[in-house]
Amino acid sequence: MKIIKSRYNQRINVIFALTLVIGVVFSSLVYWRGVEVSSMTNELITEEIPNYELLRSLANNMTEQERILYEYYADDETERLDEFQDMVLATNELIERLVREFGDIQPLMKTQEASNSINEIGLEFGENMAKNPTDWPLARVQLKEITRIREEALPQIGLLLAITGDSVLKSENLILNDLEQVRFFVIGYGVLTLIIAYIVAKAFKAYLSSSATSQRLALFPMRNPNPVISIDNKNSVTYRNPASDKLLTRLEMSLEQVSELLAPDLKEYQINVLSSENKTSESFQFKIKAFEFECELHWHEDQQQWDLHLTDITDRKKAEYELNFLAFHNPETELRNQYQLARDVDELYASDTNFTLGLFEIRSFSQLIAGRGIDTATQVTKEVSKSLEQITMAMCPNDCCIYHIGEKSFAFLTTIYLNNESIHRLVADMNKKIAGTAFSCQSQVQLDYGFSLAPEHGSSYTDILKNARTALDTSARNDDIEQILFNPELGARLEYEQQLISDMREAIEEEGFELYFQPQLSLKSKKIIGAEVLIRWNNKGKWISPGEFIPLAESSGLIVKLGDWILRTACIKALKLIEAGLEDLVVAVNISPKQFGRSDFLDKVRTVLEETGLPPRNLELEITEGVIIYNEEETIETLTSLKNLGVMLAIDDFGTGYSSLSYLKKFDIDKLKIDQSFVRHIQTEQADESIVRTIIDLGRNLHLKLIAEGVEEIEQLEILKSLGCDEIQGYFFSKPLPENAFVDFVSDHKE
Ligand code: C2E
Ligand code: CA
Ligand code: CA
């Protein structure tokens, strides 16, 4: 900065000196010319112009003298003579003065002579005029003589005037010339001054702006909102800017504690900089109290000094953390998400650690959303997540983690290598906890489970997750808690099921299914009052049980198309049976929850009845309690509309579904089908008998018909009869039969 300043001083001094020299030269020139003009003007004024004036007065006087005499001649007034004599005196005085000025030059001498003659003749003329009588002719001669003399003298005065006028003109020209030069000098000096002023102003402006820049640069650390600290090579603080003071205050530290703003491991970074050849700076992050800073460390070799620029990155770090949190956590439950699971599992594989992976899924979640709305469903996932955390934390507080990996899906990861027994214990605990929790959906929530063990069941995240899912899907589909731990057979099973689904798809297109009829018997009238339609599938020569393919049809969505086919075919066949003479026969068709849950289900039933012409009262729809659990209102609406169509409604597998029985009052149902699991051991198990008895009592109270299914033994039939059951269905009476066999059976039974 100093260098810049002295350079400018030098320049300004040169300009100043130059301006001074030029100024002096110009001023001297102007002065010298001024003096010259003044002396010339003086001469002109004091000498030449008065002479000129004297000559003009002389000429005038002479003319005046002549005029006075002529007037005297004309008016004969004697005072004219006095006037004339005054003039003579004045004229003589003028001539004397002129002689003193010009000397006795010829024209002046001649003029003096003429003047003397005029005076002389004039006086003679006066005497003549005073005579009485006046000699008038003489007077006229005298006057003429005077005129002649004056006229002869005039050129001499003209000559003198010309001489004087010439010198005046010359002097004037000289003065004007000199004045012109002065003007030129003044203008020149003015222009030069302007140019110099312009140069000086420009130089000054450049100086000002450069000095402002350097001043600003000097103020940079002062105004820098971030702390700047300089330290010497012994790490003692030599400078700190105001922002550093502010920071100390914010950190509730005294100004003397400035050295605490240096990172604890500063030395390491300094060594880094000093030991590398072309490195002069280093950037690193460190913490002071709860604040995080980024420090840029600069080494100034020439000054043997370090500069540290600190930036408070606490907020940025927080934002980064939040972003990171969002990327790896579920925003609803704040549990770690599927990406975090993948990272953690990969890490376990990388460190050759054995682990157990569990998958938990909320059952019938889509129905929960449809029935209770997405907000309640989300709330339920939060409640489930809390329960899961509590149980797993109680089990292995330091070594397990719950993840929320999908809308309804959770994962459980522990490095404890669980065996089959401990997995079942864990699941039992979870079910207990879940069953005891009051959820916002106000109904029971159930979970499906699947587990896999690493490395036994997979050597990558994808494999281990896929296998846990296989276990979960298999267990859920078969409602079999025994299948929650993966085993290689389950994998094979999955493949088989995939194949079956694809075969099923083909069979639907090619109508490869058949419908069987299982007769239902009225215990009172001993008559066949109806038949349950049961689907049969011979896939490539092998009978596949509906217990196997119906769940697959449901999970793959094929059930909708298949269900449509069953309903239509069942109606067509039922009409045939009615037309064959079984007018009162009621054909019971199983309706899957997925089928029932479709918004167009009611229309489909109506259309099928219309198109096939089957009287509605000959059709019974078997639905399970599963359709009712969540979307109660919609279910009521659909069931009421179905009832209004005239079809019969039965609750299938009654007693196995949901504990709440209150729904029964809300629907207009015709029949309860007591599940075969209660019938199976009714003759031996007191509990089963009690349950059946309760169901029958309940049905009675609600004026519902009761049918028991799976009746195989006469003893079972007897008990059911004694308990007041209305109808039975089961192998004891008849297995499900193909259409023709059923017709034969019915006609045989009549006899
Ligand atoms: P479900 O609706 O409970 O059907 C009764 C099941 O019990 C039938 O098995 C039937 O053959 C069997 N059964 C009848 N009497 C006895 C008996 O005395 N002892 C024993 N042990 N079993 C008896 P199926 O035909 O294998 O059907 C199994 C399940 O598949 C059905 O259970 C039903 O849920 C489903 N299903 C069958 N056909 C259809 C259908 O057309 N549509 C739908 N959606 N599901 C169907
Ligand atoms: Ca059924
Ligand atoms: Ca059943």
Side-chain angles (χ1 to χ4, degrees):
M1 196 179 103
K2 262 189 175 166
I3 297 167
I4 297 171
K5 205 171 171 181
S6 72
R7 210 175 63 214
Y8 273 101
N9 275 348
Q10 247 174 7
R11 267 196 212 171
I12 282 174
N13 284 342
V14 168
I15 291 169
F16 183 66
L18 209 74
T19 319
L20 205 71
V21 169
I22 294 171
V24 168
V25 169
F26 270 88
S27 313
S28 318
L29 282 172
V30 169
Y31 176 75
W32 171 62
R33 282 288 160 197
V35 168
E36 219 165 79
V37 168
S38 128
S39 82
M40 277 195 297
T41 313
N42 199 35
E43 200 177 310
L44 192 70
I45 290 169
T46 55
E47 292 171 25
E48 284 159 8
I49 291 176
N51 290 349
Y52 194 76
E53 286 300 318
L54 288 176
L55 283 168
R56 289 183 70 95
S57 300
L58 180 66
N60 277 347
N61 278 11
M62 287 168 79
T63 315
E64 199 58 10
Q65 278 173 292
E66 191 185 341
R67 185 189 59 82
I68 295 168
L69 292 178
Y70 269 92
E71 276 177 10
Y72 188 20
Y73 171 79
D75 58 16
D76 202 11
E77 293 281 347
T78 46
E79 302 94 88
R80 300 277 180 203
L81 203 59
D82 300 335
E83 217 180 312
F84 178 75
Q85 273 168 343
D86 289 345
M87 262 308 169
V88 168
L89 286 176
T91 306
N92 286 344
E93 201 184 318
L94 275 175
I95 290 171
E96 269 167 42
R97 276 175 68 184
L98 284 166
V99 170
R100 274 201 304 275
E101 286 298 325
F102 289 101
D104 50 356
I105 54 167
Q106 209 194 5
L108 194 58
M109 288 302 112
K110 278 192 178 162
T111 309
Q112 195 176 24
E113 256 173 53
S115 173
N116 291 342
S117 306
I118 289 170
N119 293 347
E120 228 170 274
I121 298 168
L123 292 172
E124 284 167 14
F125 172 76
E127 282 167 24
N128 179 28
M129 282 300 284
K131 273 191 217 157
N132 210 358
T134 304
D135 184 355
W136 294 104
L138 180 65
R140 277 194 295 276
V141 169
Q142 285 169 319
L143 284 175
K144 266 187 189 159
E145 186 59 15
I146 286 170
T147 305
R148 187 194 56 80
I149 295 168
R150 189 188 55 83
E151 277 173 356
E152 267 176 15
L154 275 181
Q156 297 308 317
I157 296 174
L159 205 63
L160 283 169
L161 273 173
I163 291 165
T164 317
D166 238 23
S167 131
V168 168
L169 210 68
K170 233 185 237 161
S171 293
E172 192 192 325
N173 278 343
L174 272 176
I175 291 168
L176 285 178
N177 205 26
D178 276 6
L179 281 175
E180 183 69 16
Q181 275 183 22
V182 169
R183 207 172 66 187
F184 166 76
F185 286 137
V186 170
I187 289 172
Y189 184 64
V191 169
L192 212 72
T193 313
L194 270 178
I195 290 168
I196 288 167
Y198 175 73
I199 292 167
V200 169
K202 238 183 125 173
F204 193 62
K205 204 174 141 193
Y207 168 73
L208 277 185
S209 88
S210 94
S211 79
T213 306
S214 37
Q215 214 164 353
R216 214 173 45 237
L217 281 174
L219 283 174
F220 183 67
M222 295 289 288
R223 289 186 184 160
N224 194 337
N226 292 324
V228 178
I229 298 169
S230 300
I231 52 175
D232 60 17
N233 48 17
K234 290 189 185 86
N235 283 1
S236 304
V237 176
T238 54
Y239 169 80
R240 62 162 195 268
N241 69 346
S244 311
D245 292 352
K246 265 192 205 160
L247 176 64
L248 285 168
T249 317
R250 197 150 65 91
L251 294 174
E252 292 174 347
M253 289 156 78
S254 75
L255 296 184
E256 285 71 49
Q257 285 176 291
V258 62
S259 59
E260 285 177 37
L261 294 183
L262 311 179
D265 43 2
L266 178 66
K267 277 217 168 74
E268 273 176 42
Y269 299 109
Q270 288 175 321
I271 291 167
N272 267 358
V273 173
L274 295 177
S275 59
S276 98
E277 244 177 60
N278 35 22
K279 210 171 171 186
T280 55
S281 63
E282 177 84 88
S283 178
F284 56 90
Q285 297 178 357
F286 69 103
K287 264 183 126 170
I288 309 174
K289 296 187 174 175
F291 296 86
E292 294 204 51
F293 294 92
E294 188 165 71
C295 178
E296 275 198 38
L297 177 71
H298 298 275
W299 172 237
H300 304 290
E301 178 80 49
D302 49 347
Q303 295 160 21
Q304 290 289 300
Q305 181 168 294
W306 298 92
D307 273 359
L308 291 99
H309 295 248
L310 302 187
T311 315
D312 184 348
I313 53 165
T314 316
D315 289 343
R316 194 180 86 197
K317 281 270 160 187
K318 218 165 120 194
E320 271 172 19
Y321 174 78
E322 270 161 23
L323 276 180
N324 198 46
F325 186 86
L326 281 182
F328 292 101
H329 290 78
N330 183 289
E332 300 292 352
T333 54
E334 297 196 349
L335 288 176
R336 292 157 211 227
N337 65 9
Q338 65 271 36
Y339 306 112
Q340 187 62 49
L341 177 67
R343 290 214 298 199
D344 292 351
V345 165
D346 284 346
E347 219 168 86
L348 291 175
Y349 274 122
S351 60
D352 278 332
T353 315
N354 293 356
F355 64 89
T356 306
L357 175 70
L359 279 188
F360 314 144
E361 247 175 39
I362 301 174
R363 205 179 281 175
S364 310
F365 193 70
S366 45
Q367 281 161 288
L368 174 63
I369 295 174
R372 297 272 196 263
I374 187 76
D375 289 344
T376 307
T378 308
Q379 190 54 34
V380 169
T381 57
K382 284 186 193 170
E383 289 157 358
V384 167
S385 81
K386 286 273 166 306
S387 301
L388 294 180
E389 263 191 312
Q390 280 168 13
I391 301 157
T392 50
M393 282 305 134
M395 192 186 96
C396 41
N398 307 316
D399 193 19
C400 60
C401 193
I402 290 284
Y403 302 78
H404 190 177
I405 58 169
E407 213 179 22
K408 58 172 179 179
S409 314
F410 298 86
F412 162 74
L413 186 65
T414 177
T415 50
I416 303 170
Y417 196 73
L418 298 176
N419 60 22
N420 201 25
E421 203 190 321
S422 44
I423 286 173
H424 278 94
R425 213 176 315 122
L426 174 71
V427 166
D429 285 351
M430 286 197 176
N431 280 339
K432 214 167 131 193
K433 170 92 183 165
I434 297 285
T437 307
F439 290 99
S440 330
C441 59
Q442 291 168 332
S443 21
Q444 230 175 317
V445 169
Q446 287 184 310
L447 296 184
D448 290 314
Y449 303 90
F451 286 82
S452 55
L453 305 170
E456 203 179 316
H457 296 151
S459 52
S460 71
Y461 171 65
T462 327
D463 282 354
I464 201 81
L465 187 72
K466 188 185 91 190
N467 289 340
R469 172 150 297 283
T470 301
L472 184 144
D473 286 347
T474 316
S475 151
R477 188 171 297 145
N478 302 324
D479 200 6
D480 184 359
I481 196 81
E482 291 309 316
Q483 293 177 326
I484 54 174
L485 179 59
F486 177 80
N487 64 59
E489 287 96 72
L490 283 187
R493 170 90 206 154
L494 195 75
E495 242 170 72
Y496 167 75
E497 286 177 350
Q498 235 62 53
Q499 184 57 46
L500 217 55
I501 289 169
S502 112
D503 290 351
M504 210 178 343
R505 195 166 280 129
E506 250 173 64
I508 292 171
E509 295 301 321
E510 293 163 7
E511 303 210 359
F513 296 96
E514 275 178 69
L515 293 185
Y516 275 40
F517 297 82
Q518 187 174 32
Q520 297 173 333
L521 180 76
S522 162
L523 290 175
K524 232 183 247 163
S525 65
K526 306 270 191 299
K527 277 187 180 163
I528 296 171
I529 40 94
E532 180 178 4
V533 175
L534 293 159
I535 192 165
R536 294 292 175 260
W537 180 29
N538 192 309
N539 182 29
K540 301 168 189 163
K542 197 180 152 209
W543 288 100
I544 315 284
S545 151
E548 189 177 354
F549 71 82
I550 290 290
L552 284 179
E554 288 190 323
S555 65
S556 64
L558 285 175
I559 193 71
V560 178
K561 238 181 168 186
L562 186 59
D564 288 349
W565 179 84
I566 295 167
L567 183 66
R568 180 170 292 272
T569 315
C571 288
I572 294 167
K573 293 199 185 294
L575 192 70
K576 252 169 86 182
L577 292 170
I578 290 165
E579 284 166 354
L582 305 167
E583 304 96 62
D584 297 327
L585 187 85
V586 175
V587 174
V589 177
N590 289 288
I591 302 297
S592 119
K594 270 235 172 107
Q595 214 181 338
F596 185 86
R598 306 252 317 183
S599 56
D600 59 353
F601 179 67
L602 176 70
D603 284 343
K604 270 183 181 168
V605 175
R606 189 186 289 128
T607 313
V608 165
L609 287 173
E610 277 169 17
E611 285 177 6
T612 57
L614 179 73
R617 62 180 182 85
N618 291 99
L619 178 67
E620 185 172 270
L621 301 178
E622 285 190 14
I623 55 165
T624 56
E625 289 163 294
V627 303
I628 303 155
I629 51 166
Y630 294 129
N631 37 353
E632 213 174 272
E633 269 169 38
E634 253 176 75
T635 310
I636 296 175
E637 229 173 84
T638 314
L639 289 175
T640 312
S641 307
L642 285 169
K643 203 71 229 150
N644 291 342
L645 272 185
V647 299
M648 315 289 266
L649 297 171
I651 303 282
D652 201 1
D653 305 338
F654 189 78
T656 59
Y658 298 86
S659 52
S660 165
L661 295 171
S662 60
Y663 71 88
L664 285 176
K665 280 192 284 183
K666 298 180 188 166
F667 306 136
D668 198 358
I669 292 160
D670 299 280
K671 206 186 256 188
L672 294 183
K673 282 191 97 173
I674 303 164
D675 191 66
Q676 47 182 290
S677 62
F678 305 119
V679 175
R680 197 171 296 136
H681 304 296
I682 194 168
Q683 66 278 42
T684 51
E685 295 285 333
Q686 189 56 47
D688 287 343
E689 202 209 290
S690 304
I691 291 169
V692 172
R693 187 195 304 273
T694 312
I695 294 173
I696 292 171
D697 286 348
L698 180 86
R700 278 270 160 74
N701 287 335
L702 295 169
H703 310 290
L704 303 176
K705 274 246 168 331
L706 288 144
I707 180 164
E709 58 180 344
V711 180
E712 292 181 359
E713 320 267 336
I714 180 84
E715 290 89 351
Q716 294 166 341
L717 188 144
E718 293 301 337
I719 296 170
L720 289 163
K721 204 174 170 183
S722 69
L723 291 175
C725 188
D726 303 303
E727 298 159 6
I728 61 146
Q729 177 189 337
Y731 295 168
F732 174 75
F733 184 51
S734 168
K735 288 199 164 192
L737 302 167
E739 192 186 353
N740 292 336
F742 176 72
V743 175
D744 292 346
F745 182 84
V746 174
S747 59
D748 286 354
H749 189 77
K750 270 186 183 164
E751 288 141 23

